[in-house]
Amino acid sequence: MKAGIIGATGYAGGELVRLLMGHKEVEIEWYGSRSYVEQKYADVYRNMFEIVDARCMDDNMEELAEKVDVIFTATPQGYCASLMNDGILSKVKVIDLSADFRIKSVPVYEKWYGIEHKSPQYIEEAVYGLCEINREDVKKARLVANPGCYTTCSILTAYPLVKEGLIDTDTLIIDAKSGTSGAGRGAKLPNLYCEVNENIKAYGVANHRHTPEIEEQLGYAAGRDVVLNFTPHLVPMNRGILVTAYAKLNQVKKADGSMGLPAYEEIKAAYDAHYGKEKFVRVLDKGVCPETKWVEGSNYVDVNFIIDERTGRIIMMGALDNLVKGAAGQAVQNMNLMFGIKESEGLELVPMFP
Amino acid sequence: MKAGIIGATGYAGGELVRLLMGHKEVEIEWYGSRSYVEQKYADVYRNMFEIVDARCMDDNMEELAEKVDVIFTATPQGYCASLMNDGILSKVKVIDLSADFRIKSVPVYEKWYGIEHKSPQYIEEAVYGLCEINREDVKKARLVANPGCYTTCSILTAYPLVKEGLIDTDTLIIDAKSGTSGAGRGAKLPNLYCEVNENIKAYGVANHRHTPEIEEQLGYAAGRDVVLNFTPHLVPMNRGILVTAYAKLNQVKKADGSMGLPAYEEIKAAYDAHYGKEKFVRVLDKGVCPETKWVEGSNYVDVNFIIDERTGRIIMMGALDNLVKGAAGQAVQNMNLMFGIKESEGLELVPMFP
Amino acid sequence: MKAGIIGATGYAGGELVRLLMGHKEVEIEWYGSRSYVEQKYADVYRNMFEIVDARCMDDNMEELAEKVDVIFTATPQGYCASLMNDGILSKVKVIDLSADFRIKSVPVYEKWYGIEHKSPQYIEEAVYGLCEINREDVKKARLVANPGCYTTCSILTAYPLVKEGLIDTDTLIIDAKSGTSGAGRGAKLPNLYCEVNENIKAYGVANHRHTPEIEEQLGYAAGRDVVLNFTPHLVPMNRGILVTAYAKLNQVKKADGSMGLPAYEEIKAAYDAHYGKEKFVRVLDKGVCPETKWVEGSNYVDVNFIIDERTGRIIMMGALDNLVKGAAGQAVQNMNLMFGIKESEGLELVPMFP
Amino acid sequence: MKAGIIGATGYAGGELVRLLMGHKEVEIEWYGSRSYVEQKYADVYRNMFEIVDARCMDDNMEELAEKVDVIFTATPQGYCASLMNDGILSKVKVIDLSADFRIKSVPVYEKWYGIEHKSPQYIEEAVYGLCEINREDVKKARLVANPGCYTTCSILTAYPLVKEGLIDTDTLIIDAKSGTSGAGRGAKLPNLYCEVNENIKAYGVANHRHTPEIEEQLGYAAGRDVVLNFTPHLVPMNRGILVTAYAKLNQVKKADGSMGLPAYEEIKAAYDAHYGKEKFVRVLDKGVCPETKWVEGSNYVDVNFIIDERTGRIIMMGALDNLVKGAAGQAVQNMNLMFGIKESEGLELVPMFP
């Protein structure tokens, strides 16, 4: 099987290359990078010295569609949508790591992203590639919208409780913390070492673009509109996202017929029902808080929760590697599903510690 | 004026030494450290080489009370309470950096800290040393309970809105992030470089000891009991605390007589009313999120807020240096107030960047 | 094939587990750890949750020898030597990650390590497991002394030039920089996050234990005694060793018959002669300086050099991951050689960036 | 006294502002920054919020010369030289933090910096502002060339031994390690957080521009030409430079008339002779290695040495904060000397730990 990557020199693109190097069924045919055309890929990412011999190619999606079985687009917002057409989709499967096909409502997309959507006709058929939730649809898809990093972590952390109606989604607050690779490889002052190191800050408060994506997906789970607060923070580390989510627990009927807060076991059962058979979602032991370091370099998401009886709230926590399960790993997982390959192929990486 | 420090070789004690070196009115008479008795202080903290010539002393509070004007106790919980007596308080002023005299209710203290309080008779007279709020009481105090680091940041971030009734305290959630010096200088595995670096985690979820302290103080501001969620996180950096706090805004009467969310200007006015004249609390410009790096090494607390009209919530943010305004700096500020010294003496440190 | 690990809960032991999880021919039978006997291994290293199900075992080498084909000892100096006997060596192959069998001279070992050697009778047969240099001997060994992390990097960086007589070994100076995982997982004050972060220092100056190991091995290459300076430094990062080595170039005969400094091509040819076919040693392109990040998580060593015509010196540089090629990876490489498995099995990890 | 800063928004410029805020005799009149003209300085460096109220000005040196007593130029190489003229020097004193007036030989400057020198006529009178060595000349200077960060650390570390002829300068090798603020605040890919964090590399090997500056100054001390190796490394930390320098000790006459290596006490005496009365150079206790963290935020340089009798070499070590003693602090120290102010005014900062 042959794959092409458009945007192979960003951090997510680079991670795709790393993962596909260890994938038995796939060969990378095309390292697309408009910024580095003709340069050796291993000169851009020297970890690939003597591993990748190819040079970077321009982003010619039409030509690429002739040559490969699957295209990954790890490109700025709007780029993939601007190139999509029937010809391409008739020839190859596309996994888009940008936000272009994640949001079903064009006005919502255009409002939060501030750009016009250039191919809204493909939004409907695009499958939101959160494998653990939309697995069957992904298998049949020819266009997958690979979820955002914050989004994957936020949704998977809260999903079972939203789905089972155990929390009041009107009270849902997601406080997220991300390593700096999520900001990309652009040479921008706020991402300089000296600006990020020994520092933590919130950003995109009340207006981060991953908000509507989380709301839409959790809305499907809830069966009603969800409006929530999402606050990302920049943390001085390379990789990792930690989500700390808060919500009021709904009262449930207890054994004696009275109403009350659900017990630990009831919440645990909800998580297990959804994730018990999932290889890549690990529901931790009671009381253990997820740490990003325990999943680094791997496709795992670690989730857990603690009930606060004093306030009637539950604190849900989730951790993943933003470049793996939050981007490239999930893209490979989607590819595996789309092509009938073993779902974990190329993804059986043990987290690296320390 | 002479000062004695009990616990001078912890990180907070070391910071006290650094600050007092730059204080015009105070000389340190006693570097107390049970772990390093007789050793040169500058061998424990080599930044003090050729600056501090003294050796560490044992923790003899009785003797110390004879020799100095003010005692700082930067010691484990319970230690200060176990030594306190009328004789000491009749001779010196005491500023306790531990939690022993912060909480007015003995049962609450004993429940959250898991130890018996050895001198409850002094709790009533102890003044909670959050200078910006209890300035006049601090001036008259002989025993000051210096607030916790998370607590100072949390309270100052939310105080004006709680005091003015602008938020619904039942919905208040505080998500806090701290540098690792807050964990102290004990040689414990979870604080090793390789365990903390490239990692973020929540800890003490729903049971961190600073919770009742925040609740008590905000309760005084609210005029009613406050019960909230407080979740601390460990961040891979040496210094700094960032608080991100969430609450529903209360409806206020608008100009046209209708009820609605308060506008930016109304919230800003509340912050300015309380902090406009405060040197050490900086209310940032509209839209600017506090970053811990901008206050590093200084006694400043930076606060700001963003209104989310979609959810009706306000996101309040605050940042300080946990060893300065969160510990030693505030202790010096309290000392200045107690002795009639200029409040900012020894604290006019410009934050260090980068 | 079955493997046992003694010292499975140190950082090198943990890395062995990570690597062996991805090895097709080996199963770990025994997770030895005296500190955590009976505890679940995945409670000690939570990255292994749902990956390793076993509990930690005591360090019973005799019992272990009955059960497995290979034993890895990742233990403090002196421990492996104290347990070694003919019975064990007749049953299993042993790969010792400590220094016990690295140095052929007992007095040298005892002087630098300050302990008595308990089984000097096995030193002679032990093979120094630097695969690229002693490959054929390793294949036949039943006891391999796995090289130190600084040592592997230092030797491989300088080896071709020493072997080919291109540098004057009397002028050889090795300035090395290491991430903090090299200091182990012991809870010691100097390894606390706040002590290491934002800091760099030299340590073990003129007396670090890896010095005689480097001198012995380079001495074999030179065919004469080598005495050199080796200075390690502690760097605020988890993984990675960088070696910067300096030496005077020997004069060589030039094409026109005169004597002069060797040209870039001559030096390059020496590196290529030794490493051209080596998978795990990458001689970088002209002018490219090795960076530890480019080999992180992998078994690669990147080496390169720059000639300074002004001083007549060559600056040789090498980078590796101290836990992989500097410890566990090399141990697996040795195991593969000893058991006739493909040398790179379990080690085809692409370096992780960023 | 009034000061103007040209280049006030670089890291060194920002540090100058921080230091001058605490200086009793000086007021900053002009915050020059071509990149941020008209913007509030505190919007560029938010640590200065409510501390600095001024806006950035264009770099008009002529106008500035009319308004202030001293001008600091913290600008790219060549800029200061291009503006210098008799008029300016007749009105104000100038302290240039760039390299323009550090090197006495124009060809050497032009070769290493690759630019033409625009005002060579002022090189002769410019005083090299390494206060501890050229104090008397600095006092009389109107144009001071403020030394480089690597340079200050390298020279002060080796100076006493070179001056006293205790080492063979032909064998001198300087291996230096720097925090990332030394690379400046430009938005360049290699300085991004994710590229620097968890990484160490050498750069500028055999061609770094600080080399001739070190050679020239040590040459004056030696009384002969010095040619050496200087290798800088980039370390994942904000601030700090560590120098590890190696040289062969010269034989000295011993008490019994024989020749031999100098003893510890003889070397120590040389350091003490030069630095015993220097406030800002601390010669550490025997065996203690300098660490950058112990001088962070301060104007101190910590130096020490270890004799290796096996190799006959001495390892000299030095640590400083590259933005303070390595740039802005030394500039203030020079200013104090030039204007007859107490030399340590504004510089009595206690190093911050952790």
Side-chain angles (χ1 to χ4, degrees):
Chain A
M1 232 185 91
K2 290 184 174 172
I5 303 172
I6 297 189
T9 54
Y11 287 141
E15 189 71 355
L16 254 178
V17 174
R18 180 175 81 97
L19 296 178
L20 292 177
M21 285 293 121
H23 195 290
K24 285 175 202 143
E25 315 269 340
V26 181
E27 196 183 335
I28 304 176
E29 180 72 20
W30 187 290
Y31 296 80
S33 172
R34 279 193 290 183
S35 316
Y36 295 98
V37 174
E38 290 301 316
Q39 291 189 43
K40 291 194 67 173
Y41 188 77
D43 284 348
V44 181
Y45 281 119
R46 294 192 189 279
N47 54 328
M48 295 301 176
F49 185 65
E50 295 187 358
I51 298 173
V52 172
D53 201 42
R55 289 179 184 273
C56 296
M57 312 280 282
D58 202 350
D59 296 341
N60 188 330
M61 205 139 163
E62 297 290 345
E63 186 184 342
L64 190 46
E66 303 288 343
K67 292 193 167 171
V68 301
D69 303 292
V70 60
I71 296 175
F72 297 94
T73 48
T75 44
Q77 316 309 335
Y79 190 74
C80 183
S82 74
L83 298 176
M84 198 52 54
N85 62 45
D86 288 353
I88 289 169
L89 283 180
S90 70
K91 293 174 197 150
V92 291
K93 303 203 179 200
V94 175
I95 300 172
D96 177 26
L97 281 77
S98 86
D100 287 1
F101 299 101
R102 292 180 193 157
I103 292 172
K104 291 298 176 201
S105 157
V106 173
V108 168
Y109 174 89
E110 295 188 341
K111 179 186 155 208
W112 288 80
Y113 285 87
I115 51 177
E116 185 193 352
H117 200 295
K118 293 296 178 61
S119 53
Q121 67 274 28
Y122 302 112
I123 293 179
E124 189 50 38
E125 80 156 289
V127 173
Y128 189 76
L130 195 44
C131 315
E132 284 74 13
I133 291 176
N134 297 328
R135 181 170 285 120
E136 295 312 313
D137 289 338
V138 169
K139 288 178 181 173
K140 293 171 288 191
R142 54 179 195 166
L143 173 57
V144 160
N146 206 60
C149 52
Y150 279 125
T151 328
T152 298
C153 198
S154 299
I155 295 171
L156 290 176
T157 298
Y159 180 80
L161 304 194
V162 172
K163 183 77 178 175
E164 303 301 329
L166 286 163
I167 55 174
D168 175 0
T169 55
D170 287 343
T171 65
L172 187 54
I173 290 169
I174 297 172
D175 190 284
K177 297 90 178 167
S178 175
T180 306
S181 60
R185 212 186 186 203
K188 294 173 187 163
L189 191 146
N191 299 335
L192 289 180
Y193 182 83
C194 290
E195 309 286 317
V196 172
N197 186 41
E198 283 291 295
N199 197 10
I200 183 167
K201 64 173 175 185
Y203 65 99
V205 179
N207 63 26
H208 192 276
R209 294 163 169 192
H210 284 180
T211 311
E213 189 181 332
I214 300 169
E215 289 178 343
E216 179 177 332
Q217 296 299 322
L218 289 182
Y220 297 143
R224 55 186 286 265
D225 281 356
V226 169
V227 182
L228 51 75
N229 274 101
F230 169 72
T231 312
H233 297 77
L234 188 67
V235 179
M237 57 186 194
N238 284 354
R239 289 171 177 243
I241 285 180
L242 182 74
V243 154
T244 314
Y246 303 85
K248 283 278 183 187
L249 283 165
N250 287 326
Q251 301 269 317
V252 296
K253 202 174 217 170
K254 313 299 289 186
D256 65 358
S258 68
M259 298 299 286
L261 290 185
Y264 170 82
E265 290 72 20
E266 292 167 276
I267 302 290
K268 181 65 160 51
Y271 275 102
D272 287 343
H274 287 274
Y275 298 143
K277 293 179 182 160
E278 291 295 342
K279 179 181 177 64
F280 293 124
V281 185
R282 306 191 293 193
V283 184
L284 302 183
D285 290 337
K286 189 174 182 178
V288 176
C289 295
E291 307 186 20
T292 58
K293 190 73 190 160
W294 299 122
V295 296
E296 187 168 333
S298 82
N299 202 47
Y300 291 104
V301 187
D302 284 0
V303 297
N304 212 352
F305 64 91
I306 285 174
I307 297 169
D308 186 353
E309 303 209 349
R310 298 170 64 253
T311 61
R313 290 196 191 95
I314 188 166
I315 299 98
M316 298 157 276
M317 294 165 282
L320 54 68
D321 184 321
N322 57 303
L323 293 179
V324 190
K325 184 63 178 172
Q330 185 142 265
V332 171
Q333 195 179 351
N334 277 315
M335 178 193 73
N336 289 343
L337 288 171
M338 292 163 89
F339 287 87
I341 304 168
K342 184 186 170 197
E343 188 171 338
S344 64
E345 175 53 33
L347 299 172
E348 308 214 349
L349 300 146
V350 176
M352 196 168 88
F353 185 91
Chain B
M1 229 185 92
K2 289 184 175 174
I5 302 173
I6 297 190
T9 55
Y11 287 141
E15 189 72 356
L16 254 177
V17 174
R18 180 175 81 97
L19 296 178
L20 292 177
M21 284 295 122
H23 194 291
K24 284 176 204 144
E25 315 269 340
V26 181
E27 194 183 336
I28 303 176
E29 178 73 19
W30 187 289
Y31 296 81
S33 172
R34 281 193 291 183
S35 315
Y36 294 99
V37 174
E38 291 301 319
Q39 291 188 42
K40 290 193 68 172
Y41 188 77
D43 284 348
V44 181
Y45 282 117
R46 293 193 189 279
N47 54 329
M48 295 301 176
F49 186 65
E50 296 187 357
I51 298 173
V52 173
D53 201 43
R55 291 180 183 273
C56 295
M57 312 280 281
D58 202 351
D59 296 341
N60 189 329
M61 204 137 162
E62 296 290 345
E63 187 184 339
L64 191 46
E66 303 288 344
K67 293 192 167 174
V68 301
D69 302 291
V70 60
I71 296 175
F72 296 94
T73 50
T75 46
Q77 315 308 334
Y79 189 75
C80 183
S82 74
L83 296 176
M84 197 51 55
N85 61 45
D86 289 354
I88 289 168
L89 284 180
S90 69
K91 293 173 197 151
V92 291
K93 304 204 177 199
V94 175
I95 299 171
D96 178 26
L97 280 76
S98 85
D100 287 2
F101 298 101
R102 292 179 193 159
I103 291 172
K104 292 296 176 201
S105 158
V106 173
V108 168
Y109 174 88
E110 295 188 343
K111 179 186 156 210
W112 287 80
Y113 285 87
I115 50 176
E116 185 192 351
H117 200 295
K118 292 299 177 58
S119 52
Q121 68 273 27
Y122 302 113
I123 294 178
E124 189 49 39
E125 80 157 287
V127 173
Y128 189 76
L130 196 43
C131 316
E132 284 75 13
I133 292 176
N134 296 328
R135 181 170 287 119
E136 295 311 312
D137 289 339
V138 169
K139 289 179 180 172
K140 293 171 288 189
R142 54 180 195 167
L143 172 57
V144 160
N146 206 61
C149 51
Y150 280 125
T151 327
T152 298
C153 198
S154 299
I155 295 171
L156 290 177
T157 298
Y159 180 80
L161 304 195
V162 172
K163 184 77 179 175
E164 303 301 327
L166 287 162
I167 57 174
D168 175 0
T169 57
D170 288 343
T171 66
L172 185 55
I173 289 170
I174 297 172
D175 191 283
K177 298 90 177 166
S178 174
T180 306
S181 59
R185 214 188 184 201
K188 294 173 187 164
L189 192 145
N191 298 336
L192 289 179
Y193 183 82
C194 289
E195 310 285 318
V196 172
N197 186 41
E198 282 293 293
N199 197 10
I200 184 167
K201 65 173 175 185
Y203 66 99
V205 179
N207 63 26
H208 192 277
R209 292 163 169 191
H210 284 180
T211 312
E213 189 180 330
I214 300 169
E215 290 179 344
E216 179 177 330
Q217 297 300 323
L218 289 182
Y220 297 142
R224 55 185 287 266
D225 281 356
V226 169
V227 182
L228 51 76
N229 273 101
F230 168 72
T231 310
H233 297 76
L234 188 67
V235 179
M237 57 185 194
N238 285 354
R239 291 172 178 241
I241 284 181
L242 182 74
V243 154
T244 316
Y246 303 85
K248 282 279 182 187
L249 283 165
N250 287 326
Q251 302 270 318
V252 296
K253 202 173 215 170
K254 312 301 288 186
D256 65 358
S258 69
M259 298 299 285
L261 290 184
Y264 169 81
E265 290 71 19
E266 291 166 276
I267 302 289
K268 181 63 159 52
Y271 276 101
D272 286 343
H274 287 273
Y275 299 143
K277 293 178 183 162
E278 291 296 341
K279 177 181 179 64
F280 293 123
V281 184
R282 305 191 293 192
V283 183
L284 302 183
D285 289 338
K286 189 174 184 179
V288 176
C289 294
E291 307 186 21
T292 58
K293 191 71 189 160
W294 299 123
V295 295
E296 189 169 332
S298 82
N299 201 48
Y300 290 103
V301 187
D302 283 0
V303 298
N304 212 352
F305 64 91
I306 286 175
I307 297 170
D308 186 354
E309 303 209 350
R310 296 171 64 254
T311 62
R313 290 195 191 93
I314 188 166
I315 299 98
M316 298 156 276
M317 295 165 282
L320 54 68
D321 183 322
N322 56 302
L323 293 179
V324 190
K325 184 62 179 174
Q330 185 142 264
V332 171
Q333 195 179 352
N334 277 314
M335 179 192 73
N336 289 342
L337 288 172
M338 292 163 89
F339 288 86
I341 303 167
K342 185 185 170 198
E343 188 171 338
S344 64
E345 173 55 33
L347 299 172
E348 308 214 349
L349 300 146
V350 177
M352 195 167 88
F353 185 91
Chain C
M1 230 187 91
K2 289 183 175 174
I5 303 172
I6 298 190
T9 54
Y11 287 141
E15 189 72 354
L16 255 177
V17 174
R18 179 174 83 98
L19 296 178
L20 292 177
M21 285 293 122
H23 194 290
K24 284 175 202 144
E25 315 269 341
V26 181
E27 195 182 335
I28 303 176
E29 179 72 20
W30 187 289
Y31 296 81
S33 173
R34 281 195 290 184
S35 316
Y36 295 98
V37 175
E38 292 301 318
Q39 291 190 43
K40 291 194 68 172
Y41 187 77
D43 284 349
V44 181
Y45 282 118
R46 293 193 190 280
N47 53 329
M48 294 301 176
F49 186 65
E50 295 186 358
I51 298 173
V52 173
D53 201 43
R55 289 179 184 273
C56 296
M57 312 281 281
D58 202 351
D59 295 340
N60 188 330
M61 204 138 163
E62 296 290 345
E63 187 184 341
L64 190 46
E66 303 288 345
K67 293 193 165 171
V68 301
D69 302 291
V70 61
I71 296 175
F72 296 94
T73 49
T75 45
Q77 315 308 336
Y79 190 74
C80 183
S82 74
L83 297 175
M84 197 51 55
N85 61 46
D86 288 355
I88 288 169
L89 283 180
S90 70
K91 292 174 196 150
V92 291
K93 302 203 179 199
V94 175
I95 299 170
D96 177 26
L97 281 77
S98 85
D100 287 2
F101 299 101
R102 291 179 193 159
I103 292 172
K104 291 299 177 199
S105 158
V106 173
V108 169
Y109 174 89
E110 295 188 342
K111 179 188 154 207
W112 287 80
Y113 285 88
I115 51 176
E116 186 193 350
H117 200 295
K118 293 298 178 58
S119 52
Q121 67 273 28
Y122 301 113
I123 294 179
E124 189 50 39
E125 79 156 288
V127 174
Y128 189 76
L130 195 44
C131 315
E132 284 74 13
I133 292 175
N134 297 328
R135 181 171 285 119
E136 295 313 312
D137 290 338
V138 169
K139 287 179 180 173
K140 294 171 286 190
R142 52 179 196 168
L143 172 57
V144 161
N146 206 61
C149 50
Y150 279 124
T151 328
T152 298
C153 198
S154 299
I155 296 172
L156 290 176
T157 298
Y159 180 81
L161 304 194
V162 172
K163 183 77 178 176
E164 304 300 328
L166 287 163
I167 55 174
D168 175 359
T169 56
D170 287 343
T171 66
L172 185 55
I173 290 170
I174 297 173
D175 190 284
K177 297 91 178 166
S178 174
T180 306
S181 59
R185 214 188 185 202
K188 295 173 187 162
L189 192 146
N191 299 335
L192 289 179
Y193 183 83
C194 289
E195 309 285 318
V196 173
N197 186 43
E198 283 292 294
N199 197 10
I200 183 167
K201 65 173 176 185
Y203 65 99
V205 178
N207 62 26
H208 192 277
R209 293 163 168 191
H210 283 180
T211 311
E213 190 181 330
I214 300 168
E215 290 179 343
E216 180 178 331
Q217 297 300 322
L218 289 183
Y220 297 143
R224 55 184 286 265
D225 281 355
V226 169
V227 181
L228 50 74
N229 273 102
F230 169 71
T231 311
H233 297 76
L234 188 68
V235 179
M237 58 185 194
N238 285 354
R239 291 170 176 243
I241 284 181
L242 182 74
V243 154
T244 315
Y246 303 84
K248 282 278 182 186
L249 283 165
N250 287 326
Q251 302 269 318
V252 295
K253 202 173 216 170
K254 313 300 289 186
D256 65 358
S258 68
M259 298 299 285
L261 289 185
Y264 169 82
E265 290 71 20
E266 292 167 276
I267 302 289
K268 181 64 160 51
Y271 276 102
D272 286 344
H274 288 273
Y275 299 143
K277 293 178 183 161
E278 292 295 342
K279 179 181 177 65
F280 293 124
V281 184
R282 306 190 293 193
V283 184
L284 302 183
D285 289 338
K286 189 173 182 179
V288 176
C289 295
E291 307 187 20
T292 59
K293 191 72 189 160
W294 299 122
V295 295
E296 187 168 333
S298 82
N299 202 48
Y300 291 104
V301 187
D302 283 0
V303 297
N304 212 352
F305 63 92
I306 286 174
I307 297 169
D308 186 353
E309 304 209 349
R310 296 171 65 252
T311 62
R313 291 197 191 93
I314 188 166
I315 299 99
M316 298 156 276
M317 295 165 281
L320 53 69
D321 184 322
N322 57 304
L323 294 179
V324 191
K325 185 63 179 173
Q330 185 142 264
V332 170
Q333 195 179 351
N334 277 314
M335 179 193 73
N336 290 341
L337 288 171
M338 293 162 89
F339 288 87
I341 303 167
K342 184 187 170 198
E343 189 172 337
S344 64
E345 173 54 35
L347 299 172
E348 308 214 349
L349 300 145
V350 177
M352 196 167 89
F353 185 91
Chain D
M1 230 185 91
K2 290 186 174 172
I5 302 172
I6 298 190
T9 55
Y11 287 141
E15 190 72 355
L16 254 178
V17 174
R18 180 176 80 97
L19 296 178
L20 292 177
M21 284 295 122
H23 195 291
K24 285 176 204 144
E25 314 270 340
V26 181
E27 195 183 337
I28 303 176
E29 179 73 19
W30 186 290
Y31 295 81
S33 173
R34 280 193 290 183
S35 315
Y36 295 98
V37 174
E38 290 300 318
Q39 291 189 43
K40 290 194 68 172
Y41 188 76
D43 284 348
V44 181
Y45 282 119
R46 293 193 188 279
N47 54 329
M48 295 301 176
F49 185 66
E50 296 187 357
I51 298 174
V52 173
D53 202 44
R55 290 180 184 274
C56 296
M57 312 281 280
D58 203 350
D59 296 341
N60 188 330
M61 204 137 162
E62 297 290 345
E63 186 184 341
L64 191 44
E66 303 287 344
K67 292 193 167 174
V68 301
D69 302 291
V70 60
I71 296 174
F72 296 95
T73 49
T75 45
Q77 315 309 335
Y79 190 74
C80 183
S82 74
L83 298 176
M84 197 52 54
N85 62 45
D86 289 352
I88 289 169
L89 283 180
S90 70
K91 292 175 198 150
V92 290
K93 302 202 178 200
V94 175
I95 299 171
D96 178 25
L97 281 77
S98 85
D100 287 1
F101 298 101
R102 292 179 193 158
I103 292 172
K104 292 297 176 200
S105 157
V106 173
V108 169
Y109 173 88
E110 295 188 342
K111 178 186 156 209
W112 287 81
Y113 285 88
I115 51 177
E116 186 194 351
H117 200 295
K118 293 297 178 60
S119 52
Q121 67 273 28
Y122 302 112
I123 294 180
E124 189 50 39
E125 81 155 288
V127 173
Y128 189 74
L130 195 44
C131 315
E132 284 74 14
I133 292 176
N134 297 328
R135 182 170 287 119
E136 295 313 312
D137 289 338
V138 169
K139 288 179 181 174
K140 294 172 285 189
R142 54 180 197 168
L143 171 57
V144 160
N146 206 60
C149 50
Y150 280 125
T151 327
T152 298
C153 198
S154 299
I155 295 171
L156 290 177
T157 297
Y159 180 80
L161 304 194
V162 172
K163 182 77 180 175
E164 304 300 327
L166 287 162
I167 57 175
D168 174 0
T169 56
D170 286 344
T171 66
L172 186 55
I173 290 171
I174 297 172
D175 190 284
K177 297 90 178 167
S178 174
T180 306
S181 59
R185 212 187 186 202
K188 295 173 186 163
L189 192 145
N191 298 336
L192 288 180
Y193 183 83
C194 289
E195 310 286 317
V196 172
N197 187 41
E198 283 292 292
N199 197 11
I200 183 168
K201 65 173 175 184
Y203 65 99
V205 179
N207 63 27
H208 192 277
R209 293 164 170 191
H210 283 180
T211 311
E213 188 181 331
I214 301 169
E215 290 179 343
E216 179 177 332
Q217 297 299 323
L218 289 182
Y220 297 143
R224 55 185 286 266
D225 280 356
V226 169
V227 182
L228 50 76
N229 273 102
F230 169 72
T231 312
H233 296 76
L234 187 67
V235 179
M237 56 185 196
N238 286 355
R239 290 171 178 241
I241 283 181
L242 183 73
V243 154
T244 314
Y246 303 85
K248 284 279 182 186
L249 283 165
N250 287 327
Q251 302 269 318
V252 295
K253 203 173 217 171
K254 312 301 288 187
D256 65 359
S258 68
M259 297 299 286
L261 290 184
Y264 169 82
E265 289 71 20
E266 292 167 276
I267 303 290
K268 180 67 159 53
Y271 276 102
D272 287 343
H274 288 273
Y275 300 143
K277 293 179 183 160
E278 291 296 341
K279 178 181 178 65
F280 292 124
V281 184
R282 306 191 293 193
V283 184
L284 301 184
D285 290 337
K286 189 174 183 179
V288 176
C289 295
E291 307 186 20
T292 57
K293 191 71 189 160
W294 299 122
V295 295
E296 188 169 333
S298 82
N299 202 47
Y300 291 103
V301 187
D302 283 359
V303 297
N304 212 352
F305 64 91
I306 286 176
I307 297 170
D308 187 353
E309 304 209 349
R310 297 170 64 252
T311 61
R313 289 196 191 94
I314 188 165
I315 299 99
M316 298 156 275
M317 295 164 282
L320 54 68
D321 183 322
N322 57 302
L323 293 179
V324 191
K325 184 63 179 173
Q330 185 141 263
V332 172
Q333 195 179 351
N334 277 315
M335 178 192 75
N336 290 342
L337 288 172
M338 293 162 89
F339 287 87
I341 303 168
K342 184 186 170 198
E343 187 171 339
S344 64
E345 174 54 34
L347 299 171
E348 308 214 348
L349 299 145
V350 177
M352 195 167 87
F353 185 91

